[in-house]
Amino acid sequence: AAREAGVQVRLLQKVERVDCGPKPVVHLANGAQCGGDLVIGADGLHSQARRALNEASQPFFTGQVAWRAIVPNHSKLPAEAQVFMGPGRHLVAYPLRDGSLLNLVAAQERRAWADEGWHLPDDPENMRRAFAGFGGEAHQLLSQVQDCALWGLFRHPVAPHWHRGAVALLGDAAHPTLPFMAQGGNLALEDAWVLGAALQAQPGDIPAALASYQTHRRDRAARVVEAASRNAWKYHLRAPLSWPAHQILKLGGRFAPQKMVAQFDWIYRHDVTQQG
Ligand SMILES: Cc1cc2nc3c(=O)[nH]c(=O)nc-3n(C[C@H](O)[C@H](O)[C@H](O)COP(=O)(O)OP(=O)(O)OC[C@H]3O[C@@H](n4cnc5c(N)ncnc54)[C@H](O)[C@@H]3O)c2cc1C
């Protein structure tokens, strides 16, 4: 008879520390401990699991901040990402919720440091002021913003070690990325698929499965993170480079749109479910 798997979900638990080893232990803020055959640290940017596996690393401010806002899709922008570029800044808009809303991410270069959290509220006027030179659609979109959050963009090194004993890192805990390729969430999903496949392939040997998982994922994640970091400067070109670069982009978009997009096939057409 099939044995029913029991799953216990404990909400609102704060993890204070993770002890690695063949029988890992997770220490909770309320004093309780839990563990299991395998602990997966999918605990994001400020991961406790990453600390357990790696030396502390120092993130650095990239000199860029981003505002995030949601506005109604009055202009019925299609289900594609729109990028509006200007010197030292760019605005990305893409539809949410069946196209009824638009997500706006507006990045600006600046010297002053800003907090790394996603939820620091800011005055929409600051966002509009930063993009005052933008006209047309971009101006329309920004004029609708009623609430926005400002977040400082930091670079973090990809974690050198993703596993030890029966503890593994996954997602932002292992490789937080700048948003310029829209890949953070996607990388986490890809990790999960590859980790699951590795554990299925070597069910009796968790350390070997985790080693195979890191081998399959680390270089790719590092390459995507690097590509996202490089992409910002292309969007933020200033005169005299901006005019010829934008003409090339316009012409490429008009006459060879497939070729323009194909340069990122290694990211957007990658299918982890088809990997051996
Ligand atoms: C504005 C914005 C736009 C984005 N747009 C995109 C996009 O278009 N495409 C894309 O692919 N990605 C995007 N991302 C990135 C994406 O959101 C992240 O990469 C993704 O959420 C990472 O998933 P994760 O599960 O690794 O970590 P998270 O989503 O950060 O989840 C970590 C979880 O762990 C919990 N946690 C943390 N510490 C503890 C602790 N000590 N104890 C208990 N629980 C803890 C947190 O509460 C959280 O629930 C965007 C991010 C931002 C900020």
Side-chain angles (χ1 to χ4, degrees), residues 13-16 42-48 68 94 103 105 118 151 170-173 177 179 181-188:
Q13 306 294 313
K14 187 169 165 50
V15 173
E16 283 206 323
D43 48 347
L45 192 58
H46 303 293
S47 167
Q48 294 300 330
R68 190 165 55 105
Y94 56 87
N103 190 42
V105 179
W118 301 7
W151 112 87
L170 185 154
D172 277 12
T177 175
M181 285 287 177
Q183 282 297 292
N186 185 52
L187 284 173

Side-chain angles (χ1 to χ4, degrees), residues 169-236:
L169 301 181
L170 185 154
D172 277 12
H175 45 67
T177 175
L178 293 177
F180 302 129
M181 285 287 177
Q183 282 297 292
N186 185 52
L187 284 173
L189 291 171
E190 290 182 355
D191 287 351
W193 181 278
V194 174
L195 177 57
L199 289 165
Q200 269 182 345
Q202 286 166 290
D205 191 346
I206 288 178
L210 300 186
S212 154
Y213 158 65
Q214 169 163 340
T215 303
H216 279 89
R217 290 299 298 159
R218 193 176 177 281
D219 286 353
R220 177 175 172 79
R223 205 175 154 211
V224 173
V225 169
E226 189 53 41
S229 303
R230 270 201 318 267
N231 221 22
W233 76 267
K234 292 186 199 163
Y235 289 163
H236 294 178

